[in-house]
Every structure is written in structure tokens, then in C-alpha cells.
Amino acid sequence: MPLLAAERHSRVRTLLLQDGSVSVQQLADTFAVTRETIRRDLDQLEQEGALRRIHGGAVPAASASRTEEPLQARQGRHAEQKRRIARAAMSYLPPSDGGSMLIDAGTTTEALAALLTDPLEKSASDSEQRRCLITNAVPIALMLSSSADVDVEMLGGSVRGITGAAVGVQTTAALRRRRADVVFLGTNGVDAGFGLSTPDTQEAAVKTELLAAGRQRVVLADSSKLGRSSLVQFAQLDDIDVLITDAPPPALLAEALSEAEVSVVVAP
């Protein structure tokens, strides 16, 4: 039985989140309707702000844009997925006997920082020595400033109010003089062709330096970021070692990640 228009529209939104783009022919085949019907569906969804039409199909409305929400607005979104990703990231922490890590600004990296303060998450094998944590995120530095398990270094720079991240020449210069065991990084998009991206030029520059300053490079990204791109590229896929997410990447991205020899971890 053919799907109703509202059901098709819901499925189109889901496919856009999963794959980052849809084609008219693909949707016509999937829903067993005419191409003209799909074009009308896409036109209506574009009017609602759900997508942007391109030749032969559509991409998410915010694709390749500078759309950026305040930190507070993003903190509750995909919260459970972010907690699962953060818990999986705990396996990549540096040694507790003096290891060092860099943690980027972002809501998923904040979820990881929150676990570092949770006594239930501390391994019984952890020694009494403290890890060193370096961050450009004001919320993370505040969260961990009184922790008994980490020594916190807050990178200097100008603070972007929308993300709580320190950025600028002072921040990037400091990172060039650091080399940590592992870096945990957030991103606004992970795309097969465009790599990793973010809306702001200054934050992109900091993220590039964060990657260069880590011996092991771990990206934390919930599945809404997969197959998406933002305005400014800060890394190619082969610049990272591990991607931790909450759902398998779409086929095209999965193939690109495999070719780049990125280890993909799907958080349980």
C-alpha cells in the first residue's frame, strides 16, 4: 500500500539525516511513486525549511552553511546518544599514571568531561596519579577545575560566546607547543568528500591545531553529523584515527572512512 504524503515526508527527513542527501530517482524507487510526486514532496519540504533542493534531489537545509546554534540549545539535543558516545570514548583515555589529553569544545566532548567527574566511571585500576587535561572549552575547564583526577590547563584566547570555546592566535600558538597522548574532538559535519567541518573559521583553525597536537586523534560525533558538511573544512578523513558515533555511517561515508583507515566505533 503506497505511503501517505505525511509518511513519505517523515521518511525523507530520516534519509536526509542518515545519508546527507537524497535523489529524486532514489525516492521514487523507494516509495514506488512517480518522480513528479517526489518533486512535489521535496518542494513542500523545502517550503517548510526541512531541506534545500539541488539538481536531481535535495540536501539538508543547513548543509554547507554557517548555521550554528548556541551551546545551551544544543546541550539537550541527542543527549542519550552523546552519553553513549562519551562512555565508549572512555576506552581511549590516556594512562592514569600521568597521561595527557586534549579535549575540544562541544556538547559531545562535554559529555565525556562529565564522565571524568563521575566516581562510578573511575576504573579500580586507576592509580592515584593525575592525568593532564588541556582544553579550549570554558565549560569543560570549569567542570573539571576541582577534579581530584585531572590537572586542567585552560588555553587562552578570545572566547566565542556561542560555543564557549577559546579561539584566535593565542590559542593556536599554544597548541603548536603541545603534544598530548590523545585528542578528543567534536565536529559539525563528517562528509565522505569534504572531510570534517565546522561553521566558524577561527574554530576550524583551532580544531586543525588540536588534531596536530594529539598522538591519537579521536572524533566524537553523533549520527546527525554523519554525511553532513559545514562551511569550513578543518581536516580530511585520513587526519583522524578513530570515529566514535551512535549509528553505522551511511554507505558512501563508511567506504570513505575505510579507505582512510579510520576505526569506526558504534557506541552500544
Side-chain angles (χ1 to χ4, degrees), residues 11 17 20 26 35 46 66 69-70 74 91-92 96 116 136 172 179 211 218 246 264:
R11 291 280 300 277
L17 282 176
Q26 166 204 357
R35 292 162 61 94
E46 184 175 44
R66 292 198 67 195
E69 290 183 303
R74 292 182 285 118
S91 300
Y92 293 87
S96 59
L116 296 177
N136 69 319
T172 55
R179 182 58 58 88
L211 282 172
V218 182
D246 61 281
V264 178

Side-chain angles (χ1 to χ4, degrees), residues 56-177:
V59 295
S63 180
S65 75
R66 292 198 67 195
T67 300
E68 191 171 15
E69 290 183 303
L71 184 66
Q72 294 83 355
R74 292 182 285 118
Q75 282 173 329
R77 188 164 299 153
H78 308 297
E80 178 55 34
Q81 293 94 321
K82 291 171 183 177
R83 280 191 290 269
R84 286 161 47 201
I85 291 167
R87 193 160 285 111
M90 294 286 282
S91 300
Y92 293 87
L93 290 179
S96 59
D97 56 347
S100 59
M101 56 184 157
L102 291 150
I103 298 188
D104 183 27
T107 53
T108 311
T109 49
E110 269 191 48
L112 172 60
L115 291 182
L116 296 177
T117 68
D118 187 344
L120 297 177
E121 297 292 339
K122 186 175 180 179
S123 169
S125 63
D126 279 359
S127 74
E128 293 305 313
Q129 288 183 271
R130 295 156 68 93
R131 294 182 175 97
C132 171
L133 182 147
I134 304 167
T135 185
N136 69 319
V138 174
I140 289 175
L142 288 172
M143 184 188 301
L144 296 173
S145 60
S146 60
S147 170
D149 299 314
V150 293
D151 293 314
V152 179
E153 177 187 352
M154 174 72 205
L155 295 168
S158 301
V159 177
R160 293 189 73 226
I162 195 168
T163 60
V167 297
V169 174
Q170 185 178 349
T171 316
T172 55
L175 283 167
R176 293 188 192 109
R177 298 190 297 272

Side-chain angles (χ1 to χ4, degrees), residues 206-226:
V206 171
K207 288 176 183 291
T208 298
E209 295 297 341
L210 280 164
L211 282 172
R215 293 186 177 91
Q216 185 176 35
R217 302 154 299 178
V218 182
V219 171
L220 313 182
D222 69 75
S223 53
S224 70
K225 312 292 178 59
L226 304 183

Side-chain angles (χ1 to χ4, degrees), residues 234-249:
F234 64 85
Q236 297 281 4
L237 294 181
D238 59 9
D239 291 321
I240 67 174
D241 301 307
V242 181
L243 170 67
I244 305 179
T245 185
D246 61 281

